[in-house]
Amino acid sequence: MRPGERLLMKVSATRAFARTAPYVIPALDRAVHRMTRGKVLLSARMLPGVVLTATGARSGLPRRTPLACVPEEGGSWLLVGSNFGRPGHPAWTGNLLKNPEAEVSWRGRDIPVRARLLTGAERARAWRAALALWPPYGAYQARVTREIRLFRLERR
């Protein structure tokens, strides 16, 4: 474990973090990502991350969202709709449900992907992988009654 990682995990599992992080972290990530032409995501210093561009479910407009991810062998990614342990599903998950064709910016490259909501045993395996990468996901799930959505993004 890298220095500070244990403290960051502890802080990120708190309700105070869940109230502030959704406003601060994505805004910083988007700004730095834009300034570095897709090469840097601040949050990716602790966790692997992508910038997801999905079509808005209601607006039909492109929506860019920086997200932590679980990279998988074979070039796919898992996305966890934790919303920092807040009650509602994050908007990007609704966008993917309605419009699964999307794009991720990964290490400075834009890659077309197709999203698939995971269920059953496949979801259980993915959830274990997500918890292994970032244990605070367990605290987020414990705080909410909804099942946190998990998506697999596969290259098109």
Side-chain angles (χ1 to χ4, degrees):
M1 198 171 278
R2 292 180 285 187
E5 191 170 342
R6 184 168 283 124
L7 176 63
L8 181 61
M9 283 186 193
K10 189 172 187 165
V11 168
S12 72
T14 66
R15 291 181 191 276
F17 185 83
R19 282 191 300 273
T20 57
Y23 303 102
V24 176
I25 293 172
L28 284 173
D29 267 345
R30 276 192 286 274
V32 170
H33 190 258
R34 225 182 344 254
M35 290 180 346
T36 62
R37 296 188 183 129
K39 291 184 175 57
V40 176
L41 268 179
L42 286 179
S43 60
R45 297 293 182 221
M46 282 309 284
L47 288 170
V50 297
V51 175
L52 172 70
T53 302
T55 303
R58 286 182 272 187
S59 70
L61 299 173
R63 301 294 185 201
R64 293 177 57 80
T65 309
L67 298 167
C69 69
V70 180
E72 298 184 298
E73 286 187 32
S76 59
W77 299 267
L78 295 175
L79 296 183
V80 181
S82 70
N83 206 12
F84 297 96
R86 297 185 313 164
H89 292 290
W92 64 264
T93 67
N95 295 342
L96 288 180
L97 288 173
K98 184 162 183 187
N99 302 298
E101 304 290 319
E103 185 176 271
V104 293
S105 176
W106 171 253
R107 297 180 177 165
R109 293 184 48 226
D110 293 331
I111 302 166
V113 294
R114 180 169 182 81
R116 189 166 47 82
L117 179 65
L118 301 181
T119 60
E122 185 179 26
R123 184 197 180 283
R125 283 189 302 277
W127 182 247
R128 286 191 297 274
L131 286 175
L133 179 71
W134 193 244
Y137 285 138
Y140 300 165
Q141 182 63 78
R143 267 201 305 268
V144 297
T145 56
R146 68 181 172 87
E147 182 178 71
I148 290 176
R149 291 175 177 161
L150 284 146
F151 288 85
R152 175 165 285 122
L153 302 182
E154 296 170 316
R155 296 169 190 251
R156 287 190 273 147

